């Protein structure tokens, strides 16, 4: 069941920590609440892969031996991060969220941004029950003109789905790579056990 | 080892290293707790500093080469913590010791006791329009002299690791006191713990961002929501009125840092207890400290942006 604004209100104020959804800060509820969604804002952290000396990304080899060269940008409030056509960057939400074990979340773009050619996630638009931290955006400009992104603007929306409580909440999974993170975090795919097996087998890095 | 509260504590020297480490982190955050523009500029400058700490750590390690290698804290732990201290010193010097007076000094003075005796703060006349203090270049190299000074003193502490810390801290204190051309001693004040500080501490203790607190008690919002349901009202304005109760107000940098310290005092026994059961206690503490500091830093940044958004909204409404 998708939560509407009344359900969300009940969850955001619930005295029961097992039921409570945390989204903080809520800056302007009138602007942020939709019928079945809550808008979230762009934070100040951005990361862009520095491709100048990079031939390719190999999670099994390159990322395990040395971190992927990433440029970090802290954009001062009031200033803009310019996302050029075709460029990919990681951003983070201003908000910090904590999701209870019976709630899953979809991160969706806002149509106003979609009409300008801005995608806010490449493929990871799902937040597991039990997750806490900032939401990472996978920003991609598919238009033909650069887009100025200002920290603090509403850039995405969260849609909450209620289900039975999971026995495998995100923060207690065996392989949890992003729980509790508070900024734009790069990929930790090389920590997946498949790549450890590949490395042991010597099959990676061709 | 059990302290008076019945909780296990780390050996004294570990505790000292751990405390210095976290305090150094909080101090760094204090440097970044100015207004929005300065905050970002300072942090960017800090990120661009050359990595002096590696050099300094190497020097520290050499100074303690005679330590008893069987004592883990006599070498790696100590040099890492000392490196952080030195790194912090050089960062502060390069940044012009731009600690915000009144915001962080009180926090430090009350809880740090004799170490450090005060935050370095610029005299008003020395501050440029951007909040930076020009410093003589020679001052920047000062921390590099610490290991040499220890060695010149015969490094007696190296033979008695428990006293090493005291020696280091005394030396650092002396260096700070000698630097009277740069900083002034801020008066100690009482740490005032109001509802905002307690609210911040509570959030941080639960691993939550603490940049803002509810503008209205959540019980009131729940009650308003129930009243809305019972009245069967479905008007948009009535609903928005209830939702508006969820609005949060940003907290000040002072509240974030004071709350962080309060939270740390609460969390430390738990972290320590867990660390003592972990295979590598210091790594365990490092992970906890890093996550905690990241949350505090994000709280400061988010509060700054939140304030700006509020100001823009107020200007727009006028």
């Amino acid at each position: 069941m998708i939560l509407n604004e009344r359900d969300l209100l009940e969850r955001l104020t619930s005295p029961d920590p097992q039921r409570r959804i945390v989204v903080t800060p809520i800056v302007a509820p009138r602007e942020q609440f939709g019928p079945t969604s809550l808008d979230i804002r762009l934070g100040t952290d951005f990361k862009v892969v520095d491709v100048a000396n990079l031939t390719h990304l190999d999670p099994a080899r390159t990322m395990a031996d040395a971190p992927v060269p990433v440029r970090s940008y802290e954009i001062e409030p009031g200033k803009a991060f310019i996302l050029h056509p075709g460029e990919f960057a990681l951003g983070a939400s201003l908000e910090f969220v904590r999701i209870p074990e019976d709630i899953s979340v979809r991160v969706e773009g806002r149509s106003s941004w979609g009409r300008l050619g801005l995608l806010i996630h490449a493929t990871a638009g799902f937040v597991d029950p039990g997750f806490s931290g900032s939401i990472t955006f996978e920003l991609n400009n598919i238009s033909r003109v650069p887009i100025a992104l200002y920290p603090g603007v509403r850039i995405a929306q969260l849609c909450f789905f209620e289900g039975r409580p999971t026995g495998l909440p995100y923060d207690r999974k065996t392989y949890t790579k992003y729980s509790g993170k508070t900024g734009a975090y790069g990929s930790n795919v090389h920590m997946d056990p498949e790549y450890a097996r590949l490395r042991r087998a010597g099959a990676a890095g061709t | 080892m059990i302290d008076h509260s019945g909780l296990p504590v780390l050996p004294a020297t570990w505790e000292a290293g751990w405390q210095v480490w976290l305090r150094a982190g909080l101090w760094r955050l204090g440097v970044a707790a100015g207004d929005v523009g300065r905050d970002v500029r300072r942090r960017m400058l800090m990120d661009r500093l050359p990595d002096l700490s590696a050099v300094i750590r190497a020097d520290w390690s050499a100074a303690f080469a005679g330590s008893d290698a069987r004592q883990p804290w006599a070498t790696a732990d100590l040099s890492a913590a000392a490196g952080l201290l030195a790194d912090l010193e050089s960062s502060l010097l390069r940044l012009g010791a731009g600690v915000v007076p009144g915001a962080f000094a009180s926090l430090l003075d009350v809880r740090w006791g004799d170490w450090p005796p005060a935050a370095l703060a610029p005299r008003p006349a020395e501050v440029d329009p951007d909040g930076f203090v020009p410093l003589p270049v020679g001052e920047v190299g000062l921390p590099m002299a610490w290991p040499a000074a220890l060695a010149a003193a015969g490094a007696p502490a190296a033979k008695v690791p428990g006293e090493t810390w005291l020696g280091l801290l005394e030396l650092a204190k002396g260096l700070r006191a000698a630097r009277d051309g740069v900083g002034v001693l801020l008066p100690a004040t009482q740490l005032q713990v109001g509802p905002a500080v307690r609210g911040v501490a509570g959030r941080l203790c639960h691993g939550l961002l603490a940049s803002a607190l509810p503008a209205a008690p959540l019980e009131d919002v729940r009650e308003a929501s129930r009243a809305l349901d019972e009245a069967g009202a479905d008007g948009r304005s009535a609903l928005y009125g209830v939702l508006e109760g969820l609005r949060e107000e940003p907290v000040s940098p002072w509240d974030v840092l004071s709350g962080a310290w309060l939270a740390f005092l609460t969390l430390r026994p738990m972290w320590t207890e867990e660390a003592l059961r972990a295979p590598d206690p210091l790594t365990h503490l490092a992970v906890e400290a890093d996550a905690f500091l990241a949350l505090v830093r994000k709280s400061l940044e988010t509060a700054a942006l939140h304030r700006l958004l509020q100001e823009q909204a107020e200007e727009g409404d006028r």
Side-chain angles (χ1 to χ4, degrees):
Chain A
M1 180 187 81
I2 188 167
L3 301 189
N4 70 9
E5 81 288 342
R6 300 296 282 269
D7 301 322
L8 202 47
L9 176 64
E10 189 271 316
R11 286 290 194 146
L12 287 166
T13 59
S14 174
D16 178 359
Q18 303 299 320
R19 285 183 58 78
R20 176 90 163 264
I21 293 173
V22 176
V23 178
T24 184
I26 295 183
V27 177
R30 281 173 192 268
E31 295 171 3
Q32 289 177 251
F33 271 88
T36 54
S37 64
L38 182 70
D39 287 354
I40 56 174
R41 298 168 189 271
L42 189 59
T44 53
D45 293 348
F46 295 87
K47 282 190 168 55
V48 178
V49 173
D50 186 359
V51 297
N53 294 307
L54 199 62
T55 56
H56 64 292
L57 290 176
D58 181 350
R61 191 166 184 172
T62 312
M63 295 174 72
D65 294 343
V68 173
V70 171
R71 281 180 187 267
S72 296
Y73 296 88
E74 290 283 345
I75 303 300
E76 193 171 340
K79 301 284 173 58
F81 176 84
I82 307 298
L83 190 66
H84 286 265
E87 192 174 10
F88 176 78
L90 295 177
S93 64
L94 172 72
E95 291 84 359
F96 181 99
V97 304
R98 176 172 287 173
I99 310 300
E101 296 178 4
D102 61 338
I103 297 285
S104 305
V105 179
R106 287 284 315 172
V107 183
E108 301 289 355
R110 296 180 65 222
S111 66
S112 301
W113 285 109
R115 290 163 209 223
L116 294 178
L118 177 72
L119 306 184
I120 56 104
H121 72 77
T123 183
F126 190 77
V127 184
D128 275 329
F131 173 84
S132 67
S134 303
I135 303 291
T136 295
F137 300 125
E138 297 135 356
L139 302 164
N140 192 3
N141 179 359
I142 59 168
S143 78
R144 297 178 63 189
V145 291
I147 299 175
L149 298 174
Y150 292 88
V153 298
R154 286 176 295 134
I155 197 167
Q157 53 188 330
L158 303 180
C159 302
F160 299 84
F161 297 84
E162 186 178 295
R164 292 172 57 199
T166 176
L168 294 172
Y170 188 80
D171 57 346
R172 296 204 292 275
K173 278 198 323 185
T174 306
Y175 298 105
T176 297
K177 302 193 290 280
Y178 307 107
S179 186
K181 304 296 187 194
T182 53
Y185 267 76
S187 173
N188 281 336
V189 68
H190 62 286
M191 291 166 62
D192 283 350
E194 299 94 301
Y195 290 110
R197 290 176 205 129
L198 277 171
R199 284 191 286 275
R200 277 199 301 274
T206 54
Chain B
M1 195 186 308
I2 303 291
D3 74 1
H4 65 277
S5 65
L7 295 168
V9 296
L10 285 175
T13 40
W14 286 18
E15 181 72 7
W18 156 237
Q19 294 235 9
V20 167
W21 187 355
L22 191 78
R23 285 166 181 172
L26 283 174
W27 196 346
R28 278 174 181 276
L29 292 166
V31 172
D35 63 41
V36 173
R38 291 179 194 173
D39 176 357
V40 175
R41 274 193 60 186
R42 287 199 180 102
R43 193 145 30 77
M44 288 172 121
L45 270 174
M46 202 179 261
D47 290 345
R48 287 176 192 159
L49 287 174
D51 186 15
L52 288 175
S53 59
V55 180
I56 294 166
R57 279 193 195 103
D59 284 355
W60 280 112
S61 299
F64 292 108
S67 303
D68 185 346
R70 288 171 300 179
Q71 302 287 353
W73 35 262
T75 52
D77 306 336
L78 189 60
S79 64
L84 269 170
L85 266 179
D87 188 27
L88 170 70
E89 278 286 305
S90 67
S91 299
L92 281 175
L93 282 170
R94 286 183 169 230
L95 290 167
V99 177
V100 182
F104 207 61
S106 56
L107 182 69
L108 296 175
D109 289 344
V110 171
R111 298 294 180 182
W112 287 36
D114 204 26
W115 165 257
L120 287 172
R123 292 170 176 150
E126 295 171 333
V127 182
D128 71 14
D130 288 328
F132 288 87
V133 182
L135 288 173
V137 174
E139 295 279 0
V140 176
L142 199 52
M144 302 293 285
W146 290 13
L150 263 191
K159 295 173 188 165
V160 190
E163 289 175 16
T164 300
W165 274 106
L166 297 176
L168 286 177
L169 301 187
E170 283 302 317
L171 184 61
K173 253 191 327 190
L175 285 170
R176 279 206 175 87
R179 211 175 297 142
D180 56 3
V182 179
V184 293
L185 205 67
L186 293 175
T189 57
Q190 291 297 315
L191 180 65
Q192 294 170 348
V193 178
V197 171
R198 281 198 296 272
V200 167
R203 286 197 169 203
L204 290 173
C205 283
H206 286 93
L208 296 174
L209 191 75
S211 65
L213 294 170
L218 290 185
E219 299 79 37
D220 293 357
V221 183
R222 278 198 298 272
E223 186 54 41
S225 178
R226 267 196 298 271
L228 195 66
D229 286 340
E230 287 168 7
D234 55 0
R236 195 179 57 177
S237 60
L239 181 55
Y240 272 137
V242 177
L243 291 174
E244 192 60 26
L246 294 172
R247 188 172 51 80
E248 293 182 312
E249 289 289 339
V251 292
S252 70
W254 193 92
D255 288 334
V256 173
L257 290 168
S258 301
W261 188 249
L262 209 57
F264 165 66
L265 293 176
T266 307
L267 292 168
R268 194 186 60 178
M270 284 187 276
W271 292 346
T272 306
E273 194 176 7
E274 290 167 6
L276 286 174
R277 286 198 295 266
D280 181 352
L282 286 178
T283 301
H284 183 91
L285 286 175
V287 170
E288 296 282 13
D290 284 348
F292 180 76
L293 289 173
L295 205 53
V296 176
R297 173 179 160 160
K298 177 78 173 174
S299 298
L300 287 166
E301 290 174 356
T302 305
L305 182 50
H306 189 165
R307 272 192 298 278
L308 185 80
L309 292 170
Q310 255 187 352
E311 288 164 12
Q312 288 172 345
E314 285 165 8
E315 282 170 17
D317 292 342
R318 277 201 289 271

